[in-house]
Amino acid sequence: VTQQSAGRVLVVDDNEQNLALIRAQLELAGYVVSTATSGGAGLAAAAADRPDLIVLDVMMPELDGYEVCQRLRADAATASTPIVMLTALHERADKLRALETGADDFLSKPVDRAELLARVRSLVRQKRLLATVEQERATLDAVMASMTDGLLVVDADDRIRFCNARAATFLHLDPAEAVGTRAERAFERLLLQMPGATAAGAAWRSALADPGARPSFELSLTADGQQRDVLVDLFPFQETGRPAPENGTSGQGVGVLLRDVTPQRDLARAKDELVAVVSHELRTPLASLVGFAELLLVREFDEEERREFLGIIQEEGRRLTSLVNDFLDLQRMESGRQTVVPVPIELGPVLARAVAAAGDDPARPIVLDRPPVLPLVSADADRVLQVLANLLSNARKFSPRGGQVTLAARPLEGEVEVSVRDRGLGLPPEAVPCLFEKFYRVDNSDRREIKGTGLGLAICRQIVEAHGGEIGVESEGLGTGARFTFTLPTASPVVGSGDVLVVDDDSGFARLLEEAH
Amino acid sequence: LKKKVLIVDDEDNVRRLVAVTLSGGDYEVLQARDGVEALAVAQRERPVLVLLDVSMPGLDGIEVCRRIKADPALRGTTVVMLTAQAQADVQRRALAAGSDTFLTKPFSPLQVLELVERKVGAGP
């Protein structure tokens, strides 16, 4: 069992006898001792060994103790290493000079054993305390530098005491220069480049005036060239070592936490927008529904008008129903409550069923284009049918002057691509990236008569993505038609022993078989 | 001479509703389905009152209202905004654009009739 050493000490002395004596005394007390017999050798040993303490003789040829001491202090590695100088007895000038060149203490020759050990022990303890504090500080710095929140610490005199990297980014400060400067001035400068500066300035000043109330406010700041919503929280702290509060000053510093809440605000904004759109989409059919019902109740109309208005009520009622259905469908999928249940299926029968379900429309015939053999896909047939029904109905709706619709499928690497091609109105380029967004409508006079909930394609995207596939659209522009494509992953071709492959175009039955199995 | 009232909405059924509501009264009901058409009809026909939907594709109701109110030839034309958005923000924008009042969808046809009679009846 090795006992932990009391410390590592470097002794530098040109007198070998003296050196041996000090070494023996220190080693007996439990120190690990290294030695050097000249100033030059001492500097080299100090750099290499990083001792906890250096005992340094003043009187040495060539490089004397004062010179060595100065050089040790100039080197960052040894700048804070305790140094005890060995001086001649009663030489007051030597002792003063030792302290002036950076020594922490001195011992007079001949060295008294008890005094040597007492001074060394005290200085090593101080050195270790300092090392602990420095390590704590370094850890704290590392933590604060890694924080996603900005942290600014302002003392009771309004001087910036600390500013981590994130806070510096938010407040446009140079962290190295900011420390020690007036916080108010830094903030005034920041205000100059901020929108809504007056309100922000008022919030900042009233918050600083009463940090005890733990004020919290939001600022719109630019960080790394981007506009960010930043939540600012202030909290007071009592500065340690500060005299009790006296006239004017509270003796309290203020901590400022800056949190980037842009993602949360974006989400809230998107939610508000959605609520507004949904409210609009619900109120529009309600206007006709409620309005005509009221007219029918309070006025007399002939049979023809009566039937017309009832027809409108029914039509708008259906529109509301599909809107609510589509919206709930989408919500269930987005929240993950409704999931697809993919099983290996043959796509061919699903495509054929989709065409049959779309019904006849002589002006807009649907042509099925598929190779005789397609790999099995891993899909939920009912959900795929829903996507196909949507895309086929859109293809026809947006072909007001008629035109052929082609439903095609082709195998790709690890997936099957299904496409629906029409020769209808087509899409302006700016619509392509937004087309699968909720309630997005192409704003062009050629399609104002075409109705829909604005949710069909958003639902299609959810379903396809839940399968692990991708959905997309291409169009060469207005009047050229559009081609919607989506992919479905092929079913794993390896079927282990004991596995049963269920192939049935009726997915309900397929699922039943699977569960029975 | 019948008083001209213009209803502007991209929804066919809403235009029909307003037309039926005002029929039988002392009004000639004009219709427009978007902002551009609304301005053209307003400038040509000089209606005494315009019922104007806010959200329409292309030129929206707020902008149409602003242009009607800025047109000296249409001074005295009352604009009633129809909104399917209950948000106070939309109502604020409608008033800022110079609209005289607004109605939120769904609205009562009888109230529309009463409102039109009150606004138009007061005029010459």
Side-chain angles (χ1 to χ4, degrees), chain A residues 280 294 299 308 316 449, chain B residues 13 16 21 33 55 108:
Chain A
H280 178 267
E294 187 179 323
R299 278 196 205 165
E308 183 205 340
E316 297 288 10
E449 297 302 305
Chain B
N13 290 338
R16 179 85 177 109
T21 302
R33 60 172 60 188
S55 58
S108 154

Side-chain angles (χ1 to χ4, degrees), chain A residues 22 25-26 29 31 53 55 84-90 95 105-124:
Chain A
I22 293 175
Q25 286 171 341
L26 287 172
Y31 292 94
L53 182 139
V55 177
V84 179
M85 291 264 230
L86 300 177
T87 58
L89 188 61
H90 302 315
K95 288 168 188 169
D105 209 344
F106 52 83
L107 280 165
S108 303
K109 288 185 188 178
V111 174
D112 175 74
R113 182 178 159 272
E115 199 181 347
L116 168 75
L117 292 181
R119 299 211 169 181
V120 167
R121 194 185 308 118
S122 154
L123 283 171
V124 166

Side-chain angles (χ1 to χ4, degrees), chain A residues 145-206:
Chain A
S146 311
M147 275 168 63
T148 42
D149 290 351
L151 176 65
L152 181 78
V153 177
V154 181
D155 69 17
D157 298 324
D158 190 44
R159 302 270 170 199
I160 295 174
R161 284 273 287 273
F162 179 82
C163 174
N164 75 355
R166 196 78 184 119
T169 308
F170 282 139
L171 303 175
H172 301 266
L173 296 172
D174 179 341
E177 283 178 18
V179 171
T181 61
R182 307 253 314 166
E184 193 184 341
R185 204 163 303 154
F187 195 74
E188 298 292 341
R189 208 170 46 238
L190 177 74
L191 279 176
L192 291 177
Q193 42 185 309
M194 206 157 68
T198 325
W204 175 259
R205 272 183 286 272
S206 81

Side-chain angles (χ1 to χ4, degrees), chain A residues 357-432:
Chain A
D360 277 339
D361 182 346
R364 299 162 190 83
I366 297 171
V367 175
L368 189 55
D369 171 18
R370 50 158 292 206
V373 181
L374 275 171
L376 294 173
V377 291
S378 172
D380 187 324
D382 286 342
R383 290 310 214 164
V384 173
L385 269 173
Q386 196 183 344
V387 173
L388 289 169
N390 231 305
L391 296 181
L392 290 173
S393 128
N394 275 352
R396 280 179 164 170
K397 266 201 302 195
F398 291 94
S399 300
R401 287 178 297 278
Q404 179 181 298
V405 174
T406 309
L407 172 60
R410 60 179 178 132
L412 297 176
E413 183 72 42
E415 55 189 16
V416 173
E417 183 199 73
V418 181
S419 63
V420 175
R421 175 94 179 87
D422 67 64
R423 298 285 165 192
L425 298 175
L427 297 165
E430 70 272 11
V432 171

Side-chain angles (χ1 to χ4, degrees), chain A residues 79-82 123-137:
Chain A
S80 64
T81 307
L123 283 171
V124 166
R125 198 179 64 229
Q126 279 181 35
K127 155 83 176 166
R128 286 188 167 170
L129 268 174
L130 187 66
T132 309
V133 170
E134 277 172 349
Q135 201 182 342
E136 290 292 317
R137 172 69 201 229

